[in-house]
Amino acid sequence: MTRVFSGVKPTGHLTLGNYLGAMRQWAAVDQHRSDALFCVVDLHALTVDHDPARVRRLSRQAATLLLASGLEPELCTMFVQSHVDEHARLSYLLECVATDGEMRRMIQYKEKAAREQRRGGSVRLSLLTYPVLMAADILAYGADEVPVGDDQAQHVELTRDLAVRFNQRYGHTFVVPRATHPKVAARVMNLQEPRSKMGKSDDTGPGIVYLLDEPDVVRKKVMRAVTDSGREVVYDRDARPGVANLLEILAACSGGNPEALGGVYESYGSLKKDTAEAVVEVLRPVQARHKELCADPGYVEGVLRDGAERARGMARPTVDAAYRAIGLLPAGADTGEPALNAAR
C-alpha cells in the first residue's frame, strides 16, 4: 500500500488555499487509497519570530480543522510533529549529508533572507536548515508520495536528493519519495494580489479567505477581489491572473473546469457572486464540524496522542537504521573493543 505523508505549519490561520490545494484531497482521496500520515509541523513554526502561546493555539486549531475537513483517525495517522522525537533525531543526520549550497539555493530561504536583509535584519539559522527537517519528516516514515502545492516541490526534490545520497554513501536506508499535485487549484492566489499565493502567514487579510471566516466575510472578500483590465471573462493565468484565480477557485469548489467556466460569464460581477457562494457552501460543513470538535477538546487530544504513538512506532525503526548506517554506536552496545585502562 502506498504511504503518503503531508503536513500543515501552524504559522497562521488555515486558508481556503490550504483546503482546496491540499486538505480536501487528503480527506477525499489520500486517506482512503493509502497508508496516510498527516502532521501539524509545529517545529517548522519556530523558524521565525513567534509568540509561543499563539503557536500552541494555532497547532490545536490546525489539528481540529484537519479533522473537520474529513480526516478520520480510523483511516489515517494524525499527530503533532514535536510529539515524535524521531523527526529531530533524523534531521541532524540529514544535515550531515546536505550541503550549504543546497540550503542557500532554496527559493523560500532566498526570498525571506533578502527581505530581512533589506530591513537591516537577518533570519534564524533554522530557516536555512528547515528543508532538511522537512526531509526528515518524510523520510522517517518511508513515504512514497508527498502531496504538495507547487511552492513546496523544490523541497521534495531536496528530500529525494538527500535520500539518494544517503543510500549511496551508507547503504540503502530510505525510500525515495515523489511529489504529487492536485489537478485544479494547486495554488490558490491572494484575492488582492493574484500573482502571490494565498498564504496563511500573509498580512494581507482582505485577500485571504480563512477557513473559519463567517459567510458574509467570505462574500465581502470575494466580491472585492482584484480583477483585470478589460471586460471579457477568459481563463489566462499569465495575462489575466485575477480572473484566472476566481475561475480556478470556482472550478475547485464546483467540480468544473476553469477554461470552460470562462465562457459562461459575461461580467466580473456575476463571476464573483457565484464564486463567493460556492466558497461559502464548501466551507459550511467544515465550519460546522469544527464547532462540534471544539466542544469536545478531549477527543482531539486523544486523536493526537494515539496518532503520535502510531507514528513513533513507524518512524523509530527507520531512524535507528539510519543511525547505525551512518556510523553511530547503538545505545548499550558492546563495541567489541577492550575497555580503556582507568589510568589512561
Side-chain angles (χ1 to χ4, degrees):
M1 196 175 194
T2 300
R3 178 167 289 179
V4 172
F5 178 95
S6 201
V8 294
K9 183 165 58 174
T11 51
H13 299 288
L14 295 180
T15 72
L16 179 68
N18 296 125
Y19 182 69
L20 295 181
M23 294 163 62
R24 187 172 64 171
Q25 168 84 8
W26 299 347
V29 178
D30 293 329
Q31 69 172 343
H32 296 281
R33 70 171 182 84
S34 59
D35 181 11
L37 298 101
F38 301 107
C39 182
V40 179
V41 287
D42 54 343
L43 294 175
H44 292 293
L46 310 185
T47 61
V48 296
D49 289 341
H50 63 277
D51 173 14
R54 186 170 187 265
V55 170
R56 285 190 290 271
R57 185 170 63 251
L58 289 175
S59 296
R60 177 182 290 277
Q61 184 185 88
T64 306
L65 281 168
L66 287 174
L67 290 170
S69 71
L71 293 186
E72 300 178 25
E74 297 80 11
L75 297 176
C76 66
T77 301
M78 202 183 89
F79 63 103
V80 175
Q81 180 189 32
S82 63
H83 295 175
V84 180
D85 294 344
E86 279 63 31
H87 293 255
R89 289 180 61 207
L90 182 56
S91 181
Y92 181 72
L93 294 196
L94 295 179
E95 284 186 19
C96 297
V97 176
T99 68
D100 176 75
E102 284 176 315
M103 297 299 98
R104 295 186 187 280
R105 285 195 295 272
M106 294 291 107
I107 293 172
Q108 291 192 22
Y109 171 77
K110 290 168 65 176
E111 292 177 348
K112 292 180 180 180
R115 186 163 58 243
E116 286 301 315
Q117 190 174 31
R118 288 193 296 270
R119 296 172 179 172
S122 62
V123 296
R124 299 183 179 190
L125 177 61
S126 56
L127 184 66
L128 177 66
T129 60
Y130 100 88
V132 178
L133 176 58
M134 180 176 174
D137 298 338
I138 298 164
L139 298 179
Y141 297 100
D144 303 285
E145 296 181 2
V146 187
V148 292
D150 295 339
D151 59 323
Q152 293 293 330
Q154 186 186 35
H155 292 157
V156 179
E157 284 306 308
L158 173 70
T159 301
R160 290 171 54 84
D161 291 343
L162 295 179
V164 169
R165 190 177 307 154
F166 192 102
N167 289 347
Q168 289 175 342
R169 290 181 181 177
Y170 306 113
H172 185 78
T173 306
F174 299 119
V175 173
V176 181
R178 62 185 179 275
T180 59
H181 309 277
K183 295 180 180 179
V184 178
R187 198 176 190 194
V188 177
M189 312 307 277
N190 190 299
L191 295 174
Q192 293 298 315
E193 301 175 15
R195 294 190 185 278
S196 301
K197 187 183 74 166
M198 185 183 285
K200 58 183 176 296
S201 54
D202 197 333
D203 293 328
T204 314
I208 304 172
V209 175
Y210 296 105
L211 294 188
L212 296 179
D213 277 347
E214 294 290 336
D216 286 346
V217 174
V218 173
R219 294 186 182 99
K220 183 181 295 184
K221 288 180 177 180
V222 176
M223 293 303 294
R224 292 179 177 177
V226 168
T227 49
D228 310 290
S229 59
R231 297 181 178 181
E232 189 178 6
V233 179
V234 294
Y235 180 77
D236 187 331
R237 250 195 181 275
D238 294 326
R240 317 283 295 273
V243 171
N245 189 36
L246 290 171
L247 288 169
E248 286 206 347
I249 292 172
L250 177 59
C253 291
S254 64
N257 178 281
E259 291 89 346
L261 287 170
V264 172
Y265 294 93
E266 297 182 355
S267 70
Y268 292 160
S270 58
L271 170 61
K272 288 182 176 181
K273 183 177 179 181
D274 283 0
T275 302
E277 292 307 315
V279 172
V280 167
E281 289 307 310
V282 160
L283 295 185
R284 193 183 304 279
V286 177
Q287 294 178 352
R289 179 58 176 153
H290 177 267
K291 186 176 181 179
E292 293 174 358
L293 291 167
C294 286
D296 187 8
Y299 173 75
V300 177
E301 291 174 3
V303 168
L304 296 177
R305 183 175 56 251
D306 294 345
E309 184 176 350
R310 288 200 302 272
R312 200 175 297 118
M314 283 186 270
R316 185 164 294 169
T318 298
V319 177
D320 285 349
Y323 268 58
R324 291 191 299 271
I326 206 170
L328 297 178
L329 185 67
D334 183 354
T335 65
E337 299 176 358
L340 293 177
N341 187 290
R344 295 174 59 193

